[in-house]
Amino acid sequence: MTNTLEALTVPLIQAPMAGGPSNAALAVAVSQAGGLGMLAAGYKTVEAMAAEIDDVRAGTLNFGVNLFVPESDPSDPGRLAAYAAALASMALELGLAAPEPGPFSDDHYAAKVDYLVANPVPLVSFTFGLPSADDVARLRSVGTEIVLNATDPEEISAADALNPDAIVVQGAEAGGHRATHGQAKEPSESSTHELVTLAREYTDKPVIAAGGVTGADIAQNHFDAGASAVQVGTLFLTAEEAGTKEAQKDALLSGQYRDTVVTRAFSGRAARALSNRFTERMAAVQVVGYPQVHYMTAPLRAASADNPEGLNLWAGTGFAACQLRPAAEIVDEFRSL
Ligand SMILES: Cc1cc2nc3c(=O)[nH]c(=O)nc-3n(C[C@H](O)[C@H](O)[C@H](O)COP(=O)(O)O)c2cc1C
């Protein structure tokens, strides 16, 4: 189990996308096509993560698993209560009870690491912060490659100090949650290309460019600046195999959405989504409050399952390039790199 990244036929990693999109079928299709399929363990129980790993293993032995590092910045109870109050009228319109601040959750992080040490996978990546040196050492000791996320030079340096196999530099174009280490920090506005260019001053580890990569030309530009691979999320949201909600796939393909926005409205942590009625309505009152706001808005999002205006339509700035097609076709676009 060595050199998972170096052995890729196509230097493309399918982004782990928690919440449904990056299911086992997508990861298998990407890995079979020569890229690296990734599973997202975020929001899952250990048992659900393990079952999905087993499903992937039936189709490929080349894959990775992504973990949410528990939030290091605490949420302020007063702000959470104020946001719950601000959501009340929307809840009422949906016929729901007044929202309550959700619980803190560490996303079963320690148990997931223990599972992955006992049942090794080729690669583990981390977002929202950094793992401990001890967890890195434990995973490495069973042959697992380590990939860390960073969104600015300070985070690249901190990631480099853990001696990972590669660092994903996630630029401001990226869809979904920013990988920012700590929710309280304002997300970096550096573009993917700026970060790739800067990264060489802060690390000599392989750099993976993430954010706004919608074709081989953009990827080549990042390679020319020193990247070794790209991590692509948004393009895969409308892959045929992806587990993305139908309402979100339809919204991405509809041509009716023009803009994305970085918002804390859905989860309390900065994330890029299609701008819709929910993001606009909550723009002025959104608070730092991950993961409690995620749980607070869950019933509202569930009640809006067929209404894209009430959903977290995670998407990067490049969403207009989305097409409904097999994942292998997306991988093929990057085969010339
Ligand atoms: C729907 C969605 C969910 C995501 N979930 C995760 C996740 O669970 N873990 C993670 O490390 N990154 C996650 N990301 C971020 C991606 O890893 C990556 O940085 C981003 O998709 C790259 O930008 P792009 O969307 O413009 O391709 C998510 C992105 C999207 C669009």
Side-chain angles (χ1 to χ4, degrees), residues 128-295:
F128 297 171
L130 297 174
S132 67
D134 185 47
D135 284 343
V136 170
R138 290 170 66 214
L139 287 163
R140 273 183 175 280
S141 74
V142 294
T144 298
E145 285 176 41
I146 303 292
V147 172
L148 305 174
N149 269 271
T151 63
D152 63 27
E154 185 194 355
E155 293 178 0
I156 295 171
S157 291
D160 179 77
L162 285 167
N163 196 26
D165 293 278
I167 299 176
V168 173
V169 296
Q170 188 207 45
E173 298 96 322
H177 281 114
R178 299 306 314 278
T180 314
H181 300 179
Q183 61 166 337
K185 203 164 139 185
E186 277 311 303
S188 161
E189 290 179 4
S190 297
S191 70
T192 305
H193 199 67
E194 282 166 355
L195 284 178
V196 170
T197 308
L198 267 173
R200 279 289 145 258
E201 294 174 36
Y202 298 89
T203 183
D204 56 7
K205 298 291 170 201
V207 165
I208 300 167
V213 179
T214 53
D217 49 347
I218 293 175
Q220 186 60 56
N221 203 16
H222 296 327
F223 280 42
D224 292 345
S228 308
V230 288
Q231 179 159 302
V232 175
T234 297
L235 272 192
F236 283 107
L237 284 172
T238 52
E240 283 171 8
E241 297 87 345
T244 314
K245 290 185 185 69
E246 283 309 313
Q248 180 165 2
K249 277 194 181 178
D250 291 348
L252 286 163
L253 297 168
S254 68
Q256 285 172 10
Y257 289 86
R258 300 265 167 257
D259 299 315
T260 61
V261 63
V262 174
T263 180
R264 298 181 193 271
F266 296 108
S267 70
R269 191 177 230 288
R272 189 175 287 283
L274 296 181
S275 177
N276 65 1
R277 187 154 155 68
F278 195 115
T279 64
E280 283 162 22
R281 214 166 145 176
M282 293 298 135
V285 291
Q286 57 182 310
V287 297
V288 172
Y290 185 85
Q292 292 90 343
V293 171
H294 166 80
Y295 295 110

Side-chain angles (χ1 to χ4, degrees), residues 24 28 32 51-63:
V28 168
Q32 286 184 348
E52 206 168 42
I53 291 171
D54 289 345
D55 287 347
V56 169
R57 279 214 176 95
T60 181
L61 297 178
N62 215 29
F63 64 98

Side-chain angles (χ1 to χ4, degrees), residues 77-89:
R79 284 188 183 175
L80 292 174
Y83 195 62
L87 283 169
S89 57

Side-chain angles (χ1 to χ4, degrees), residues 58-124:
T60 181
L61 297 178
N62 215 29
F63 64 98
V65 176
N66 173 258
L67 300 179
F68 286 174
V69 175
E71 190 55 59
S72 51
D73 294 332
S75 303
D76 174 68
R79 284 188 183 175
L80 292 174
Y83 195 62
L87 283 169
S89 57
M90 206 192 285
L92 194 65
E93 288 165 27
L94 291 165
L96 299 171
E100 303 262 347
F104 177 78
S105 162
D106 68 1
D107 206 47
H108 316 293
Y109 176 77
K112 286 174 182 170
V113 173
D114 286 349
Y115 182 89
L116 294 169
V117 170
N119 303 273
V121 298
L123 182 147
V124 173

